[in-house]
Amino acid sequence: MSQNLIQAADLSLFGADPLWLVLLKVVAIFVILVLVTLITIIMERKVVSWMQWRVGPNRVGPNGSLQSLMDGIKLALKEEIIPRTADRAVYWLAPVIACVPAFMTWAVIPLGPEVSIFGTTTPLQLTDFPVSVLYVLAIASVGIYGIVLAGWSSGSTYALLGGLRSSAQMISYEIPMGLSFVAVFLYAGSLSTSQIVEAQTQTWYIILLLPSFLIYVTAMVGETNRAPFDLPEAEGELVGGFHTEYSSLKFALFFLAEYINMVTVSAMATTLFLGGWRAPWPFSLWDGANSGWVPMIWFFGKIAAFLFVFIWLRGTLPRLRYDQFMKFGWKFLLPVSIAWILIVAVARAIRNEQALDLQQAVQAYGLPLAGLLVLYWLFEEFRDRRKERLAAESAKTDAVVEFDPFAGGHPVPPMPGQSLPSASANSLPAQES
Amino acid sequence: MEFAFWICAILAVVGALGMVFSKKAVHSALFVALTMLNLAVLYAVLEAPFLSMVQVIVYTGAVMMLFLFVLMVVGVDSSDSLTESIKGQRVPALLGGAALGVILVGLLGNVVTYNFGLDSATAAADGNMQGLANLIFNRYLFAFEVTSALLITAAIGAMVLAHREHHTPRPTQRDLAEKRFLSGRHPGSLPAPGIYARHNAVDTPALLPDGTMSALSVPKPLASRGALKAVDIAAGEEVSALSRGEAVITSQSTDQVEG
């Protein structure tokens, strides 16, 4: 608890900026996000083309690097087509709702330590408060409205199906995402992003809490509707999904929101598990690596690594079937994350109460527990399979038994696997006769 | 603080009224979301950040989203019927609403004039989260556990109600594939019609590797109307010969193509 007190004092760094500095930070975050989006799009096209043995965009600018800028201008100048069946107000509102929260999240992302801007010492973060990770989750859940409303207001079946899918998908994957944060909160003793970074001075949480990290990384791909979880816009099934009926600048806003969300979840993964702006190992030996403006390099480098993985996934994996995707989220990710939180909580409690070494605690309680859980899961899995096999076999043998419409002396419907005798033979008069 | 109050309070009331007066169910749901977001901002202003964020995550993000999910299935064009189904409910409803309003204004006004925000309580408890956690997991632990048991019961009840027993095992992906192949029909997606310089259209059958035309690649009605534009036979034969490796492209055949 004393740890929490120290950290509560640390938050006083925030909220003391003069107005001009706040505005400067807001504008800087906006500019950074738009630039990062442009870079991400060109990076995606170049990396995917590299993975597919082709050149990719190579006409505009040096080595095609201005292609996404030009595409953005083209997109904004295109003709706008609004379907007649659209609900105009909501149709107009949806891209705004999708886009604004995407920017808002970055208010609490720590980009670096304290620096001096025009003589004012300030952290490289717009603001922070005791629940800023919850703020990120809350804002993300508002952003889903944009997609869902876009699907609904278009007045088109494909868009509606995409919207329905995305609402179900994002709610489902928000749960494992939130649960993967819990272990981090337990270790950091705080929900504020700057303090979580502070708490990772010694060890990054990816090492301490690897399962949480893996759950988060899976959930973040589902949360951003990216391949292989891009079911809301599955081209093969839904044309374009929720944005089928959108064109011009409104479509561009959805595009922008999707890419900013990618960057945001990467930034959250960096902050929560990869030490935020702290330098990775060989560089951390240099004293200057964690002070001043230098840490922004590490921060954006880590984000770029996540973005590369996003693109890699898209270039490699086929899209999941919808029911498989849901099954994975609810029947695998959710129980695994709950079990993991249980283990972490027990480890923390033991450490707090008995002052046991963490390693000892994990060895004494966590590992046997984890082993039991894995065994139980395997047992369930095999039992299910056996059940399915038996059911399939019995269905096959049942089908052989012929349908008796008066089994037991009463008129009865056919059992599963049996079929009614063909109707034309006895009840309906045949046309020829 | 008062500045934020006047903005958010007005927006929250607008949302509440909009919810009552809008004709489409989805618009109503959106207005409720607006009200909830403004309430969340008010909580934050009153130094209750945790409650504020939970309000957004749980109510705006999950509960309203599920409402919206159900409403969306109803479709974009539908609006509720405005005929009154319960006769004579208006006067009692108005009276009851007014009574509730008086009670709320009286009670809340009383509370607000005495105690404004959670500043002092938060300071006394070493932080908003810490104070809440202390209360929930010490003083109100039993109530918390009972509530969670209730919620779990409700969740299980919902699952039981929505559960549908399968009499036969669900066909797996493998079963479906086997069935598709055993049916004897074309198992995959049909071949696309031929795309040629002269006939860039669905009425031109695709050529199979041996040079014959694929009947599957063109719509049946077109074929029965005799509206198909076959690729000319010479080209077909040439392709066929090429596929067998018997012919090479000669200058003559190139001329033919160009001509």
Side-chain angles (χ1 to χ4, degrees):
Chain A
M1 287 299 115
S2 62
Q3 196 187 0
N4 291 337
L5 280 178
I6 297 162
Q7 285 167 349
D10 273 352
L11 273 183
S12 62
L13 284 172
F14 298 93
D17 291 339
L19 186 64
W20 63 267
L21 190 55
V22 174
L23 290 176
L24 184 72
K25 282 181 180 178
V26 170
V27 174
I29 286 174
F30 182 80
V31 171
I32 286 176
L33 282 180
V34 174
L35 281 180
V36 165
T37 303
L38 286 180
I39 295 169
T40 311
I41 295 175
I42 192 72
M43 173 175 155
E44 168 152 36
R45 296 181 67 175
K46 276 289 185 187
V47 170
V48 166
S49 60
W50 169 61
M51 286 174 177
Q52 295 172 346
W53 283 71
R54 53 192 178 81
V55 183
N58 64 348
R59 296 285 147 163
V60 193
N63 217 2
S65 55
L66 292 178
Q67 184 69 47
S68 50
L69 182 67
M70 294 302 154
D71 282 349
I73 294 170
K74 185 193 79 172
L75 204 50
L77 295 176
K78 276 186 170 181
E79 183 190 358
E80 174 149 17
I81 301 160
I82 301 179
R84 211 154 28 114
T85 47
D87 184 318
R88 289 231 166 194
V90 181
Y91 183 86
W92 188 87
L93 200 63
V96 180
I97 298 183
C99 210
V100 171
F103 282 101
M104 278 172 71
T105 315
W106 276 69
V108 295
I109 306 269
L111 308 180
E114 280 186 80
V115 293
S116 162
I117 299 177
F118 301 126
T120 313
T121 307
T122 175
L124 274 176
Q125 179 177 5
L126 180 56
T127 186
D128 199 4
F129 47 108
V131 289
S132 49
V133 180
L134 290 187
Y135 166 83
V136 173
L137 278 179
I139 295 296
S141 68
V142 173
I144 304 174
Y145 273 89
I147 290 177
V148 174
L149 292 177
W152 177 79
S153 66
S154 298
S156 139
T157 313
Y158 286 131
L160 184 69
L161 286 173
L164 279 174
R165 273 188 179 188
S166 73
S167 70
Q169 166 173 346
M170 289 163 106
I171 291 175
S172 308
Y173 274 66
E174 217 168 57
I175 297 168
M177 185 182 243
L179 287 177
S180 71
F181 291 163
V182 172
V184 174
F185 299 156
L186 285 175
Y187 268 84
S190 170
L191 272 68
S192 109
T193 45
S194 63
Q195 286 164 21
I196 288 172
V197 172
E198 193 66 43
Q200 296 179 73
T201 314
Q202 293 300 319
T203 327
W204 293 358
Y205 287 143
I206 185 178
I207 298 164
L208 275 178
L209 305 169
L210 185 64
S212 286
F213 175 72
L214 294 177
I215 291 164
Y216 177 78
V217 168
T218 316
M220 82 181 188
V221 181
E223 188 72 10
T224 44
N225 296 328
R226 289 281 304 182
F229 299 153
D230 56 345
L231 298 138
E233 44 186 308
E235 297 91 350
E237 306 152 38
L238 297 178
V239 188
F242 65 89
H243 57 56
T244 306
E245 304 295 344
Y246 276 88
S247 48
S248 186
L249 200 61
K250 293 195 177 75
F251 175 74
L253 283 183
F254 281 118
F255 218 68
L256 183 69
E258 178 182 329
Y259 278 85
I260 294 179
N261 282 334
M262 266 167 77
V263 181
T264 305
V265 289
S266 307
M268 281 309 286
T270 307
T271 306
L272 292 174
F273 296 102
L274 292 187
W277 41 262
R278 297 197 168 273
W281 170 67
F283 303 104
S284 58
L285 299 176
W286 168 45
D287 277 342
N290 279 329
S291 59
W293 293 88
V294 184
M296 279 181 88
I297 299 174
W298 320 130
F299 183 72
F300 283 104
K302 288 169 192 174
I303 287 182
F306 275 110
L307 291 176
F308 178 79
V309 173
F310 266 115
I311 299 165
W312 191 4
L313 285 176
R314 184 192 151 179
T316 318
L317 295 178
R319 184 177 300 127
L320 260 75
R321 217 172 59 198
Y322 190 65
D323 60 326
Q324 292 170 335
F325 171 74
M326 278 298 175
K327 202 173 171 184
F328 181 69
W330 285 101
K331 293 190 177 173
F332 180 75
L333 277 188
L334 187 64
V336 165
S337 32
I338 290 177
W340 171 244
I341 289 171
L342 196 71
I343 294 169
V344 171
V346 168
R348 283 301 288 184
I350 290 166
R351 200 174 151 192
N352 283 357
E353 298 297 323
Q354 303 179 357
L356 259 183
D357 186 26
L358 171 74
Q359 210 176 353
Q360 275 177 314
V362 167
Q363 279 166 358
Y365 300 92
L367 287 181
L369 200 61
L372 275 179
L373 278 168
V374 168
L375 275 180
Y376 177 70
W377 180 67
L378 283 175
F379 171 73
E380 282 280 302
E381 190 68 22
F382 279 107
R383 203 182 56 176
D384 282 357
R385 281 193 193 167
R386 186 152 168 273
K387 235 197 241 168
E388 269 172 28
R389 211 179 55 231
L390 286 178
E393 274 169 16
S394 69
K396 271 177 200 160
T397 49
D398 281 351
V400 181
V401 178
E402 208 173 314
F403 170 50
D404 179 8
F406 283 92
H410 299 283
V412 287
M415 294 289 282
Q418 293 177 337
S419 59
L420 280 170
S422 69
S424 61
N426 35 30
S427 60
L428 285 174
Q431 272 192 333
E432 279 104 354
S433 59
Chain B
M1 194 193 255
E2 295 212 332
F3 185 62
F5 171 78
W6 284 112
I7 293 177
C8 293
I10 289 170
L11 279 175
V13 173
V14 166
L17 291 177
M19 179 264 177
V20 177
F21 290 116
S22 51
K23 283 182 185 162
K24 285 186 181 170
V26 170
H27 291 176
S28 288
L30 283 180
F31 278 118
V32 177
L34 177 72
T35 303
M36 285 172 167
L37 281 178
N38 281 295
L39 290 184
V41 176
L42 285 179
Y43 294 153
V45 171
L46 292 171
E47 296 289 323
F50 184 73
L51 181 64
S52 161
M53 291 307 139
V54 167
Q55 162 91 4
V56 177
I57 295 173
V58 175
Y59 286 99
T60 317
V63 175
M64 276 321 292
M65 189 54 81
L66 285 179
F67 267 69
L68 208 56
F69 188 83
V70 175
L71 293 177
M72 275 166 64
V73 187
V74 178
V76 70
D77 302 320
S78 68
S79 53
D80 288 337
S81 93
L82 294 174
T83 50
E84 209 172 307
S85 50
I86 308 170
K87 288 269 189 293
Q89 57 152 343
R90 292 199 177 190
V91 176
L94 274 177
L95 285 178
L100 185 68
V102 169
I103 293 171
L104 282 180
V105 167
L107 281 179
L108 288 183
N110 212 8
V111 171
V112 163
T113 45
Y114 283 124
N115 213 341
F116 202 65
L118 289 178
D119 289 355
S120 49
T122 301
D126 298 335
N128 181 254
M129 301 271 302
Q130 286 81 359
L132 264 180
N134 248 331
L135 283 178
I136 289 178
F137 293 112
N138 290 320
R139 190 161 156 202
Y140 296 109
L141 181 65
F142 184 70
F144 178 76
E145 292 291 342
V146 169
T147 314
S148 65
L150 192 68
L151 285 174
I152 288 174
T153 315
I156 291 176
M159 273 193 259
V160 169
L161 286 177
H163 180 71
R164 201 179 46 177
E165 195 77 44
H166 284 288
H167 290 294
T168 47
R170 281 181 72 171
T172 61
Q173 200 164 6
R174 188 187 176 87
D175 292 339
L176 291 174
E178 278 173 0
K179 200 172 142 197
R180 199 159 62 233
F181 274 86
L182 286 175
S183 72
R185 277 180 295 176
H186 191 78
S189 48
L190 295 171
I195 307 294
Y196 301 101
R198 281 190 299 173
H199 305 289
N200 186 7
V202 287
D203 59 357
T204 311
L207 291 182
L208 294 173
D210 61 352
T212 55
M213 285 176 278
S214 165
L216 287 172
S217 66
V218 279
K220 270 189 192 145
L222 282 183
S224 61
R225 259 186 262 152
L228 293 185
K229 291 198 185 73
V231 191
D232 67 72
I233 300 303
E237 278 171 355
E238 194 185 309
V239 171
S240 171
L242 276 172
S243 74
R244 290 192 301 271
E246 287 169 8
V248 286
I249 299 171
T250 60
S251 61
Q252 193 193 356
S253 64
T254 322
D255 287 343
Q256 269 178 359
V257 171
E258 280 167 3

